[in-house]
Each structure stands twice: as C-alpha cells, then as structure tokens.
Amino acid sequence: MMSRLSISVLVSASIACSMLFASCGTSRSSNATVYKTTPAGTGSRPDKKTFDIPSSLAPQSHALLTEAKRWIGTPYRYGGEDRNGVDCSGLVLNVYRSALQLKLPRNSAAQADYCKPLSKAMLMPGDLIFFDTAGGGGKKISHVGIYVGDGMMIHSSSSKGVIVSDINADYFKRTFAGAGYVEKYRNMIASNTPEPKPAPAAQQTSKNTAPKAVGTRNEAAVEEPFTLSPVTSLPSRKVTPAVTGTPKANEPTPEEARKKVLNTLIEQKLDSIFNR
C-alpha cells in the first residue's frame, strides 16, 4: 500500500500540472477557476506569428492592431499584464489602454458583459470574440481574443503565448461563446466618416444640358427647343403680271406689216402677168 508521503507527492504533482497548463480565468483572484485554452483540434489554417494590417482601416483600428501586433511572442502568464507574461484578458486590457486610452474590465467574462453583442459574421478588426473553454455549453466565458480580420484573432494561448489563430479552427468553433464590440471604439471610428456635403449648384445641373455657345458667329450655336404646330392653310401665291412695253420705234405695227405683205404679193402677181 502507498504511504501517506507518496499520496502527498502525487497530489502536489497534480496541482503543479494544473497550474502549468492553466489559462485565462474569470478573475484575477487566487480563488478563481482557470481553464486551458490550447486548441485540441486542427483548424483550416495553422497559428501564425504575424498578420497584415490593411491601410484602408480607420486610424483607431490601425492603432489598435499595431499595438496588438507588438505583443506577439509574449509568453503566457496567468494574471500577467506586461511583456514578461500576459493572459488573454490582460492582453485585451493593455492593447485598448495603450492604443486608444480606453479602460476595459480585467477579466474575460466582465469584458463580454462590457461589450455590445454581435454575430460572428459582423466582426470588424478590433472587436472581441469570446469562448467557453470550460465546457459550460457557451455559458461561462473563460477566454477572449481580438479579431484582426480575415477570420483570424490575436490572443494569449496558455501553451504558445500571444499568437494569431484561425477563429474557424475546430477547437474555437466548438468553444465559441459570442462576440462583441466596444461601443466607445466603434464611436471613434464613426466620427472619422465625414457626412456627405451637398454638391455646388453648378454641379447639380443635368449632365444632358448642353453649355451655351460662347464665341463668334462662326461657332456652332446651341439650338433652342422648338415645337411643331399643325398647318391649317397654305399661303396664297402672288402672280406678278408681265410688263408690256411699247414697241420699238423701227418695228412696224401689225397692220403695217399686213399691208406690206399684201403689196408684195400684188407686185409679184403683176410682174408675172406682164412678163409672159
């Protein structure tokens, strides 16, 4: 049979192992329950030690992700809040405080209550994503990460420290408990979006309106709009009578011409009689 000393050694070793693999808990107190957050399954993408920050993000989002990126590689330490070691909620607390001067609650469950809930499909870079790693059916928040975009989050893993992981990995899909956003952070982003200003009067004219022609008479002028009226009658045609002039002085009158022709015929007839 085992002696009392052997039993004590086994109990001590068991407690030490539990502390070694502990992760983010629900509070900082020494009586808090802590849970392991190391993924038990393999996801579609492996963990990474970096991520891209799009230049199109709002200044607050860019500052938040830049600060989070500086923590990559920091070892995990339950209750830690500095570069010597940090837990999941301590990472979120420090990133928001350093980048945006926003103070969040210290533990992951309180951070979940502090956030406004939203669906996973509506996550924006800088929002928080929560997990129930204690097997409570999604009712007991015990881990938190910061969404960085492209289906990835930065968080402090109990086995790997601050790392970038796929939120759709098997383990995180199974333990997903909700997502939320910090209202003050979203308000900062909204304040950067300028309201649309009305266009100047010159720009509000229709694109189809042609500009007025400016220049000399030789330049093409813009035709004015016109309407067609039905024709009810045709204009009468003016006939100008031909002008009759007086006969020229050298031309004989018709009567004189007739007499001249008769005289010529008579003379010819007489000549023909006398010349037989």
Side-chain angles (χ1 to χ4, degrees):
M1 297 180 62
M2 298 178 63
S3 63
R4 291 183 178 180
L5 179 60
S6 299
I7 295 175
S8 298
V9 170
L10 290 175
V11 172
S12 299
S14 176
I15 294 174
C17 290
S18 299
M19 294 180 64
L20 178 63
F21 293 104
S23 180
C24 295
T26 57
S27 71
R28 293 188 60 191
S29 65
S30 58
N31 294 327
T33 304
V34 295
Y35 307 100
K36 184 177 179 181
T37 60
T38 305
T42 58
S44 57
R45 289 177 290 182
D47 293 333
K48 301 192 299 182
K49 292 186 177 181
T50 187
F51 61 89
D52 295 327
I53 303 177
S55 58
S56 59
L57 291 180
Q60 291 83 1
S61 301
H62 198 278
L64 196 69
L65 298 192
T66 299
E67 176 62 24
K69 201 170 185 178
R70 294 191 182 106
W71 286 80
I72 293 177
T74 302
Y76 174 85
R77 181 168 65 88
Y78 178 74
E81 292 187 9
D82 53 35
R83 300 302 172 86
N84 294 323
V86 68
D87 61 13
C88 63
S89 57
L91 172 67
V92 173
L93 175 75
N94 274 278
V95 169
Y96 266 84
R97 182 172 57 194
S98 299
L100 304 176
Q101 289 74 52
L102 293 180
K103 185 178 180 180
L104 270 63
R106 176 60 182 86
N107 63 76
S108 56
Q111 288 173 355
D113 292 336
Y114 182 80
C115 289
K116 299 290 184 180
L118 77 165
S119 66
K120 186 189 291 188
M122 300 301 293
L123 280 168
M124 291 176 55
D127 292 339
L128 304 184
I129 184 166
F130 302 97
F131 303 91
D132 177 4
T133 58
K139 297 180 180 181
K140 192 173 183 64
I141 305 298
S142 55
H143 190 61
V144 60
I146 301 175
Y147 186 70
V148 298
D150 193 30
M152 306 295 286
M153 69 173 178
I154 183 170
H155 66 120
S156 184
S157 166
S158 61
S159 61
K160 299 179 181 180
V162 179
I163 197 74
V164 180
S165 300
D166 186 350
I167 66 173
N168 293 310
D170 294 341
Y171 176 79
F172 291 119
K173 285 198 296 185
R174 188 171 66 253
T175 59
F176 175 75
Y181 65 89
V182 177
E183 188 173 17
K184 291 181 179 179
Y185 164 60
R186 287 290 190 96
N187 291 340
M188 288 180 177
I189 297 176
S191 65
N192 294 326
T193 306
E195 295 183 0
K197 297 181 180 179
Q203 297 181 6
Q204 291 180 351
T205 58
S206 173
K207 294 181 179 179
N208 296 328
T209 303
K212 293 183 179 180
V214 179
T216 63
R217 294 181 179 179
N218 293 330
E219 296 179 359
V222 178
E223 294 182 359
E224 296 293 336
F226 62 91
T227 57
L228 296 176
S229 301
V231 177
T232 57
S233 63
L234 294 175
S236 60
R237 181 180 179 182
K238 290 184 178 181
V239 179
T240 304
V243 179
T244 58
T246 59
K248 294 181 180 181
N250 297 330
E251 294 181 357
T253 63
E255 183 63 25
E256 293 175 344
R258 185 177 64 82
K259 289 180 178 181
K260 186 176 180 180
V261 171
L262 289 175
N263 291 333
T264 302
L265 292 175
I266 292 171
E267 290 177 358
Q268 291 178 355
K269 186 66 176 175
L270 292 174
D271 289 342
S272 63
I273 294 174
F274 291 113
N275 292 331
R276 286 180 178 177

